[in-house]
Amino acid sequence: MTAAGLPFDPAQLLNFSEPWDASRVQMMDHMVTLMYSGDQSQRKLAHEVLTQVKTNPDSWMAVDTILATSQSPDTKFFALNVLENVITTRWLVLPDNQKAGIKNYVVQLVIKMSADEQFAKNQKHFLTKLNETLVHIVKQEWPHAWENFIPDICGSSKTNQSLCENNLRILNMLSEEIFKYGKTHMVSKKVAKLKDSLNSQFATIFELCMFILKTHSSTPGSVKTSLVVTTLSTLSNFLEWIALGYVFETDLTQTLLVHFWDPLEYRIECVKCLNEIACLNEGVQQYQPQLIMCFQGVVEKIQQLPENMPQAYAGLPGPQKIFWEVFHNQVALLLTGFLKHNMAAMEAQSNYMLPALQYLVRISMSPNEETFKICVEFWQMFSARIFLESKASEQSASQNSMPLLMDGIAGGGYRQAETQKAKLALYAPIFGEVRQVLIQKMVKPPEVTIKENEEGHIVRAEEEDTDEIALYKMMREALIYLTHLDASSMEQIMLQRLTQECLTEGTSEHWSPTMLNHLAWAIGSISGAMQEADEKRFLVSVIRDLLSLCEMKRGKENKAVVASNIMYVVGQYPRFLRAHWKFLRTVIFKLFEFMHETFPGVQQMAVDTFLRISQKCKRKFVIQQPSEQSSFIELLPTRLAQDISELEPLHICTFFEAVGHMISAANPADRERLVGLLMAFFNEKWAAILRNLSSSGSVESFGQNQQMLRDISLILRVNERIVSAVGAACHSQLAAIYPEMLKIYKVCSDFISHSTAQQGAQIMTYSNIRLMRNVKRDTLRLVQTFVDTAAQAQQAAEMRLPPEQIAQRFLPPLLEPVLADYRSNVPQARDAEVLDLLAVLATRLSESISSEVGKIFEMVVECTCDMIKGDFQSFPDHRVKFYDLLKAINTSCFQALFFLPENQLKLYVDSLIWAVKHEQPQVADSGLQVLSQFVERLLTGPPNVYVPFFKQYFFALLQDVLFVLTDTVHKSGFKLQQHILLQLINAVERGMLNDAAPKQRVMEYLFEVIGKSFSTLNKSQIEIFVLNCFNKAQQPPEFQQHIRDFLIQLTEWGSHESSLYEDDRKQALAEQAHKDAQMRMQVPGLVPQYDPTRAAFGDMDDV
């Protein structure tokens, strides 16, 4: 630490042996200012100094001087952070007089500042931080050392309204700390104790809240508006957990509706309180009459609101618009809360139910996205409920089909069906409006994008889960349920909207590509929901209108929009296509036309739709249809060159994948022939390339011929796509190109190795080198995909090609050149696809590859480990795929691991430990999964395997797992970390490792390691932790909670061993003794006949 550029020595800020004065506070102000506005070196210095100040155990003693003297808000915040750090981590080791001093100082400061209304308003953020500090003290002291905290704070609230407002905020913070965040910051026993205390003393808090609200209602203007708002806000948070008697056995709901709904300044907070009441679920059945009255009161208030307000507020000025947006958001939550949690009771009140639903429809039309999502979620749930009730009543009626029983009384099933029909008729207008809204606002479905990634691999990338995709799924389900409830209504609305888009006079007055997209997405979303005949009629009308619209529109862009919607809709209705061959054939040829359209996006949409239809209707293409001279798949190769002539390489691959799916539906005996027919076009190109190579004979010319490299890459990729769809039937096709393919792989490898040896790793960026690497990767992916698909049981049986035969035919010429090339290349030239290929070989051909595991470790694992162990960032693809390989070996070639030389087995274990410590969550999780599976498989195997292993590795594994479990970097892996710890301790507890890690030795080791590593813990805490690890080893949920509590304890310095932890320590010892005695009692005679412990097991009575 240097003081360059500072007017003082920063070491003065670390001296707390003498009281601070104003000059030292000025130094602190200067240092904090540098932290936020200095240059990089100044910020670094300031960070070092301030960190040392904060971690100094005596720094809190200067806080009062800093708060009283400093002129900088940032410095005051830092001082409160120092104080908060002491309270949360070192409170238990402070002497009582110091704790009392801090507590009194903070309390008096809070009272002084919050009682001054002007200060509380101007220094709002500082006061909030001060309140947080007080709440941290309360969590430490209350209730055992500060029993009167709740009565004191509530009593003082009636003396000053500004003070009262701040006190309510403190109580609100305390509630949140206990009920919302307590689990992550406090041990479970402490949380339970604080919850009990707050519940037992809540009457005083509730009395204060009602006092404020009733004072306002009885004497308007006597209570500050901000105090009323704070009271309502605080009350809404309390309503989540308070006893139901406070809600339903008092006049709380009536007070809210009568006095706080109408005034705009209180309306939103009032609705939040009512929403919490509406969402109450557990135990509310006994208060149904009161809940119904509350619902009725809410609906009456809503009926007084302007009808068109949800749509009209869009044109209001800013503040008013925000108010109505928030209000309608809360009303949506309120109404859906009532209906979701108490549907049956609310449905019985049809005079109130219908207005509530009608207002929800109006709110659904609002432009606010969050409000719309709330409504959609409700409509999805509500339509599903009505649909399921209808199905149940239909089934009940069919089981009791006679309308009248012998005594003339209608049967239960018949009555239920009639009631359900009446309910559907009642809700029909509501559902009609909901259909209109959802169709109009339908969001875009998730896209599957086919693209080439950075390594040249063709990938199908689905959109990640986003809010929009979640919304689409909800809207789709809602529309499907609404279609089931009334398909004719859905059909009528959609066709009517489509007719509006397809104006007969051909004008563009109402033409809206966006609206057409929404409509097409909605039409596609209800596929399969109609009866087949209805769906046929509906879809024919839709396609006819869309085709006429396409003819009507002028301009490529407009036509492309309509064409993309036609392709999307058609692709969503495979059932219709399967049932109508001529229409399907017409659609396919239309797609072939679109494949020649050069407008951006149209070709991709065409091949994507072709792929989807091929996957869903593949059998239709391989059988000869009526009036056809041959099957479609036989016809396709004759026009192949024409159909793909204008497609890009990426789209050609998708095209062939689609045709591959068709072939996969053919008779197994015909598939090999069909693959040959299909691939004849590219086989000719392959032969021409080979002739060209043999005539030139020069590696140099080959390496510089970039077009040839691109052609080779495309041929390999097309083969890979065909293999992915057809599988084992491609074995002859692959065998025909296999020898030359491996030769080209070797030529590319040698060229790259020679070039890097001469010119260094920078040549990796050269275009010809990148193309050659693509060829290598495409080769590896082709073999990987073939093995992955062909070695599956069903494929192997259909094509009579067992995995052993695949291994015998394809492995010997492959492994040696690939492994040797990987090891000999510079790290930058090693292809991660080798790791992918080996993982698939290990999984699919485990018996054949097990004998090669030693060679794989020698030639791949060791050098990959050297590549990635130097840091946590370089070679990210190799990292992930490396652990996929280790996982595959662990799963499928487990026994082979124990035939490895000692140094390679150690490398395997070290690799897993290193992964567990990795900073990248994906790698760390992979390491944890493999390690957990490895330990589990070991412990379920024979003792002669796992005992020698654990003799060497048990304590190292235990220490490393404890390390990542207790640091702060690997929190995301907690579940697996504690599970591995449980596996190890459980094995010791069950006596499986007595020869490798005896229980007593493990307990002593844990006690020693934890004691050395965590100075914040005292001996009793460590002893309790170690004992309970073994006591709870048979109860995984309790073990997990025990570990979670221990991690929270690590952040606190603890003292007072006897008073705080002695009871827990005695309980842990007693549990341990009981378990030992229980085990000993299983062995007759082991426990002496007159040993007192026999009494606990009922063995001392003379019966």
Side-chain angles (χ1 to χ4, degrees):
M1 183 172 66
T2 62
L6 291 179
F8 58 87
D9 182 1
Q12 295 180 60
L13 294 176
L14 304 177
N15 180 13
F16 297 98
S17 59
E18 300 173 0
W20 276 36
D21 54 17
S23 63
R24 208 177 300 183
V25 174
Q26 287 179 352
M27 296 179 197
M28 178 63 74
D29 287 342
H30 186 79
M31 193 61 67
V32 172
T33 303
L34 289 181
M35 181 68 188
Y36 292 104
S37 58
D39 59 32
Q40 185 173 356
S41 61
Q42 289 173 330
R43 285 200 301 270
K44 182 180 179 182
L45 173 63
H47 180 265
E48 291 176 4
V49 173
L50 294 178
T51 301
Q52 291 184 46
V53 170
K54 186 175 179 180
T55 54
N56 190 300
D58 298 322
S59 58
W60 64 271
M61 296 179 182
V63 168
D64 57 343
T65 306
I66 296 173
L67 294 180
T69 311
S70 175
Q71 301 301 311
S72 166
D74 291 332
T75 305
K76 291 182 178 181
F77 263 78
F78 175 75
L80 287 178
N81 274 327
V82 170
L83 190 59
E84 187 178 302
N85 184 56
V86 170
I87 294 166
T88 55
T89 62
R90 302 184 63 84
W91 187 259
L92 296 177
V93 298
L94 294 177
D96 288 344
N97 64 324
Q98 290 185 356
K99 288 194 285 190
I102 294 174
K103 182 173 76 173
N104 292 332
Y105 171 74
V106 173
V107 168
Q108 293 304 317
L109 193 58
V110 168
I111 292 172
K112 176 185 174 183
M113 293 187 171
S114 58
D116 184 339
E117 185 174 350
Q118 196 59 40
F119 182 92
K121 185 177 180 181
N122 295 338
Q123 301 290 328
K124 183 178 179 181
H125 297 299
F126 177 74
L127 185 57
T128 300
K129 186 66 179 176
L130 193 59
N131 290 343
E132 289 176 7
T133 307
L134 178 58
V135 168
H136 284 301
I137 295 175
V138 173
K139 282 158 55 181
Q140 298 284 6
E141 294 286 278
W142 179 71
H144 63 280
W146 197 353
E147 294 180 10
N148 297 325
F149 168 70
I150 298 292
D152 287 349
I153 196 170
C154 291
S156 67
S157 298
K158 296 181 180 180
T159 61
N160 180 294
Q161 290 197 23
S162 181
L163 176 64
C164 178
E165 189 175 336
N166 191 63
N167 286 350
L168 285 170
R169 291 197 188 100
I170 292 171
L171 291 170
N172 189 24
M173 280 185 188
L174 181 63
S175 167
E176 290 179 340
E177 283 289 320
I178 295 172
F179 286 91
K180 284 188 178 179
Y181 314 122
K183 185 178 178 181
T184 57
H185 298 302
M186 295 180 282
V187 297
S188 52
K189 286 185 178 179
K190 186 174 182 179
V191 173
K193 187 175 182 180
L194 290 178
K195 283 182 179 180
D196 291 342
S197 300
L198 196 53
N199 270 310
S200 65
Q201 298 186 16
F202 183 73
T204 310
I205 302 173
F206 185 76
E207 186 272 331
L208 172 63
C209 293
M210 293 305 291
F211 170 77
I212 296 167
L213 297 181
K214 292 197 171 182
T215 301
H216 166 78
S217 56
S218 61
T219 316
S222 62
V223 181
K224 288 194 313 175
T225 301
S226 62
L227 176 55
V228 175
V229 171
T230 302
T231 305
L232 291 170
S233 176
T234 304
L235 193 59
S236 70
N237 285 329
F238 289 155
L239 285 167
E240 294 181 34
W241 52 266
I242 63 174
L244 295 179
Y246 290 113
V247 180
F248 298 114
E249 294 175 16
T250 66
D251 58 352
L252 173 62
T253 57
Q254 197 65 18
T255 300
L256 291 170
L257 285 167
V258 173
H259 298 288
F260 297 98
W261 178 287
D262 293 330
L264 293 182
E265 61 267 32
Y266 307 133
R267 185 178 291 180
I268 289 175
E269 298 302 331
C270 173
V271 174
K272 286 181 180 178
C273 290
L274 292 169
N275 178 37
E276 293 298 336
I277 295 171
C279 294
L280 292 172
N281 196 11
E282 191 173 339
V284 81
Q285 290 74 21
Q286 60 180 312
Y287 296 108
Q288 285 290 340
Q290 294 91 328
L291 195 66
I292 290 171
M293 284 182 61
C294 182
F295 176 64
Q296 291 172 346
V298 166
V299 174
E300 288 170 0
K301 288 292 184 183
I302 285 174
Q303 286 179 303
Q304 298 169 15
L305 296 171
E307 282 194 16
N308 65 337
M309 183 52 74
Q311 297 80 45
Y313 71 70
L316 292 174
Q320 292 183 40
K321 179 182 177 182
I322 292 173
F323 169 83
W324 285 103
E325 278 188 354
V326 175
F327 172 68
H328 282 118
N329 183 273
Q330 292 300 319
V331 169
L333 288 170
L334 172 61
L335 292 177
T336 57
F338 269 121
L339 298 177
K340 282 195 291 189
H341 294 96
N342 303 277
M343 179 68 77
M346 302 308 147
E347 278 192 307
Q349 312 297 314
S350 59
N351 291 339
Y352 294 92
M353 179 78 171
L354 286 177
L357 292 175
Q358 286 165 354
Y359 201 77
L360 267 178
V361 172
R362 291 203 290 275
I363 292 177
S364 301
M365 298 175 189
S366 75
N368 184 275
E369 291 184 11
E370 289 303 317
T371 305
F372 180 63
K373 288 175 187 175
I374 294 165
C375 296
V376 170
E377 184 181 1
F378 170 75
W379 294 125
Q380 185 265 340
M381 181 277 299
F382 185 57
S383 58
R385 179 189 175 102
I386 301 300
F387 168 72
L388 294 173
E389 285 178 355
S390 299
K391 293 289 287 184
S393 67
E394 287 173 11
Q395 290 173 359
S396 177
S398 64
Q399 291 169 4
N400 185 11
S401 57
M402 292 181 61
L404 298 176
L405 298 179
M406 292 183 68
D407 59 0
I409 301 174
Y414 181 77
R415 285 200 308 272
Q416 186 181 355
E418 290 300 308
T419 303
Q420 194 61 32
K421 284 182 182 177
K423 184 187 287 189
L424 281 174
L426 185 67
Y427 291 147
I430 299 288
F431 284 146
E433 291 185 65
V434 174
R435 292 183 188 102
Q436 294 272 14
V437 174
L438 295 184
I439 292 169
Q440 180 181 342
K441 303 184 75 169
M442 189 66 190
V443 296
K444 188 178 182 181
E447 288 184 319
V448 178
T449 308
I450 302 172
K451 60 183 182 181
E452 184 176 335
N453 64 14
E454 293 177 358
E455 287 74 38
H457 191 186
I458 296 172
V459 292
R460 299 180 60 80
E462 292 191 15
E463 281 187 64
E464 295 181 3
D465 282 342
T466 60
D467 289 343
E468 187 175 14
I469 291 177
L471 180 60
Y472 170 78
K473 290 176 180 177
M474 282 195 295
M475 294 181 76
R476 175 183 170 276
E477 289 182 14
L479 284 171
I480 285 175
Y481 288 126
L482 290 168
T483 304
H484 282 297
L485 291 173
D486 192 345
S488 61
S489 171
M490 184 68 78
E491 180 181 353
Q492 179 186 355
I493 292 169
M494 287 183 166
L495 291 178
Q496 183 181 359
R497 282 188 171 274
L498 191 55
T499 303
Q500 291 172 1
E501 292 295 327
C502 311
L503 297 172
T504 52
E505 64 272 20
T507 69
S508 58
E509 182 184 347
H510 299 296
W511 164 245
S512 169
T514 303
M515 287 304 301
L516 182 63
N517 289 337
H518 290 305
L519 180 57
W521 298 334
I523 291 170
S525 72
I526 62 168
S527 171
M530 293 181 177
Q531 296 293 329
E532 195 163 352
D534 296 335
E535 184 177 273
K536 174 184 175 181
R537 182 186 65 249
F538 170 63
L539 195 59
V540 167
S541 299
V542 168
I543 299 299
R544 184 185 62 239
D545 286 352
L546 285 173
L547 287 172
S548 65
L549 182 62
C550 193
E551 292 296 321
M552 186 190 308
K553 291 303 163 191
R554 297 290 175 264
K556 277 198 169 187
E557 186 172 351
N558 287 333
K559 285 184 177 293
V561 169
V562 181
S564 66
N565 282 308
I566 292 173
M567 288 186 282
Y568 175 74
V569 171
V570 167
Q572 296 302 307
Y573 283 84
R575 181 177 67 174
F576 173 80
L577 296 176
R578 286 194 295 268
H580 302 88
W581 164 249
K582 288 188 176 180
F583 190 84
L584 171 58
R585 187 176 184 276
T586 304
V587 166
I588 294 298
F589 283 123
K590 193 70 178 175
L591 291 176
F592 290 166
E593 285 182 32
F594 286 143
M595 290 179 195
H596 295 278
E597 175 57 62
T598 56
F599 190 84
V602 175
Q603 287 187 354
Q604 178 169 344
M605 188 80 178
V607 293
D608 285 353
T609 306
F610 182 45
L611 175 61
R612 280 202 301 273
I613 293 175
S614 299
Q615 289 171 328
K616 291 291 187 179
C617 309
K618 52 190 174 185
R619 294 187 186 281
K620 295 296 174 184
F621 298 107
V622 295
I623 58 176
Q624 185 172 341
Q625 300 291 342
S627 73
E628 299 285 351
Q629 295 181 354
S630 63
S631 65
F632 186 85
I633 194 66
E634 301 273 4
L635 167 70
L636 197 56
T638 63
R639 52 175 297 152
L640 189 66
Q642 173 193 343
D643 290 334
I644 67 172
S645 60
E646 295 186 56
L647 292 179
E648 297 177 8
L650 194 63
H651 300 147
I652 292 174
C653 293
T654 306
F655 183 96
F656 274 80
E657 182 183 354
V659 181
H661 283 290
M662 296 179 186
I663 294 174
S664 69
N667 189 304
D670 294 331
R671 290 179 200 167
E672 198 173 335
R673 177 182 63 83
L674 291 172
V675 169
L677 281 174
L678 177 65
M679 293 305 296
F681 176 77
F682 277 108
N683 286 342
E684 289 177 12
K685 283 197 168 191
W686 179 256
I689 289 171
L690 293 178
R691 287 195 298 271
N692 193 351
L693 282 174
S694 62
S695 63
S696 67
S698 167
V699 175
E700 291 297 328
S701 61
F702 168 72
Q704 299 303 326
N705 191 336
Q706 296 189 16
Q707 186 55 50
M708 181 185 290
L709 291 171
R710 289 191 184 93
D711 290 343
I712 292 172
S713 190
L714 177 60
I715 293 170
L716 294 175
R717 291 179 184 189
V718 167
N719 274 278
E720 191 269 337
R721 290 292 82 203
I722 286 288
V723 166
S724 71
V726 182
C730 294
H731 69 95
S732 295
Q733 167 66 20
L734 182 59
I737 66 171
Y738 201 66
E740 288 76 17
M741 180 180 76
L742 292 182
K743 286 178 184 176
I744 292 175
Y745 181 94
K746 184 76 165 58
V747 169
C748 292
S749 299
D750 292 344
F751 187 92
I752 294 171
S753 299
H754 181 70
S755 300
T756 51
Q758 286 188 329
Q759 303 176 53
Q762 72 269 14
I763 67 154
M764 290 298 134
T765 58
Y766 293 4
S767 56
N768 64 320
I769 298 295
R770 294 179 67 174
L771 289 170
M772 295 181 97
R773 292 194 71 188
N774 282 346
V775 169
K776 289 178 62 183
R777 290 166 174 162
D778 293 331
T779 302
L780 295 169
R781 289 191 200 104
L782 174 54
V783 179
Q784 174 193 331
T785 305
F786 176 73
V787 173
D788 199 22
T789 53
Q792 294 177 20
Q794 182 181 350
Q795 288 266 345
E798 286 180 350
M799 301 307 301
R800 299 177 182 176
L801 189 68
E804 298 77 21
Q805 192 174 334
I806 294 173
Q808 186 178 1
R809 181 182 298 184
F810 293 102
L811 279 191
L814 173 77
L815 276 182
E816 186 62 36
V818 169
L819 297 185
D821 170 63
Y822 188 90
R823 184 171 68 171
S824 63
N825 260 322
V826 296
Q828 292 84 350
R830 289 177 184 147
D831 298 310
E833 285 73 16
V834 171
L835 305 174
D836 268 342
L837 172 61
L838 293 174
V840 168
L841 295 178
T843 302
R844 296 294 185 193
L845 308 176
S846 54
E847 290 185 13
S848 303
I849 205 70
S850 289
S851 59
E852 305 290 342
V853 168
K855 186 183 291 185
I856 291 172
F857 266 79
E858 178 187 349
M859 305 185 78
V860 173
V861 174
E862 290 180 10
C863 59
T864 306
C865 227
D866 291 337
M867 286 167 58
I868 63 177
K869 71 182 181 183
D871 57 47
F872 290 131
Q873 288 82 37
S874 56
F875 305 106
D877 289 337
H878 290 76
R879 290 171 193 277
V880 175
K881 294 175 180 180
F882 176 69
Y883 287 101
D884 288 342
L885 170 59
L886 295 190
K887 185 176 183 179
I889 292 173
N890 184 61
T891 304
S892 305
C893 309
F894 183 75
Q895 299 300 328
L897 289 171
F898 296 93
F899 292 99
L900 294 174
E902 180 59 35
N903 65 318
Q904 291 186 353
L905 179 60
K906 185 176 186 305
L907 175 65
Y908 180 78
V909 176
D910 289 346
S911 299
L912 296 183
I913 293 298
W914 187 79
V916 166
K917 296 179 180 179
H918 204 287
E919 291 177 355
Q920 187 181 339
Q922 187 179 0
V923 174
D925 286 347
S926 294
L928 288 166
Q929 289 170 10
V930 180
L931 181 58
S932 175
Q933 187 185 52
F934 178 71
V935 170
E936 184 176 345
R937 294 201 63 174
L938 261 179
L939 292 172
T940 54
N944 64 332
V945 174
Y946 68 70
V947 170
F949 175 84
F950 281 118
K951 274 186 179 179
Q952 183 170 352
Y953 293 107
F954 180 87
F955 290 99
L957 285 173
L958 187 63
Q959 183 174 358
D960 288 321
V961 171
L962 272 175
F963 171 79
V964 294
L965 186 62
T966 53
D967 72 11
T968 56
V969 180
H970 298 89
K971 286 184 178 180
S972 62
F974 169 77
K975 190 171 183 181
L976 279 170
Q977 293 160 5
Q978 64 86 26
H979 179 68
I980 296 170
L981 182 64
L982 175 62
Q983 288 175 300
L984 296 174
I985 289 179
N986 194 27
V988 174
E989 175 67 15
R990 289 161 56 196
M992 298 174 65
L993 304 180
N994 286 340
D995 295 334
K999 180 177 177 180
Q1000 188 61 34
R1001 185 182 166 201
V1002 175
M1003 294 177 82
E1004 291 171 358
Y1005 177 81
L1006 282 172
F1007 189 89
E1008 181 183 355
V1009 167
I1010 293 171
K1012 287 180 179 178
S1013 303
F1014 304 107
S1015 55
T1016 56
L1017 300 179
N1018 57 54
K1019 290 183 179 180
S1020 291
Q1021 288 174 291
I1022 301 171
E1023 191 173 356
I1024 293 166
F1025 169 70
V1026 174
L1027 287 169
N1028 278 334
C1029 279
F1030 289 88
N1031 291 341
K1032 301 178 187 297
Q1034 305 293 330
Q1035 296 94 30
E1038 292 184 20
F1039 184 87
Q1040 182 172 338
Q1041 186 60 55
H1042 172 59
I1043 300 298
R1044 200 184 296 277
D1045 286 350
F1046 173 70
L1047 296 180
I1048 293 171
Q1049 281 184 350
L1050 293 181
T1051 63
E1052 299 179 356
W1053 287 77
S1055 183
H1056 315 302
E1057 297 181 17
S1058 57
S1059 60
L1060 289 177
Y1061 298 107
E1062 187 60 24
D1063 289 344
D1064 286 349
R1065 191 177 73 85
K1066 287 180 178 177
Q1067 183 181 348
L1069 286 169
E1071 287 180 17
Q1072 182 66 33
H1074 181 77
K1075 286 184 66 178
D1076 289 345
Q1078 204 170 18
M1079 183 193 70
R1080 290 162 64 82
M1081 283 291 291
Q1082 303 301 316
V1083 183
L1086 192 61
V1087 179
Q1089 293 300 315
Y1090 295 96
D1091 192 302
T1093 57
R1094 297 181 79 93
F1097 300 96
D1099 194 49
M1100 295 291 282
D1101 296 331
D1102 183 13
V1103 179

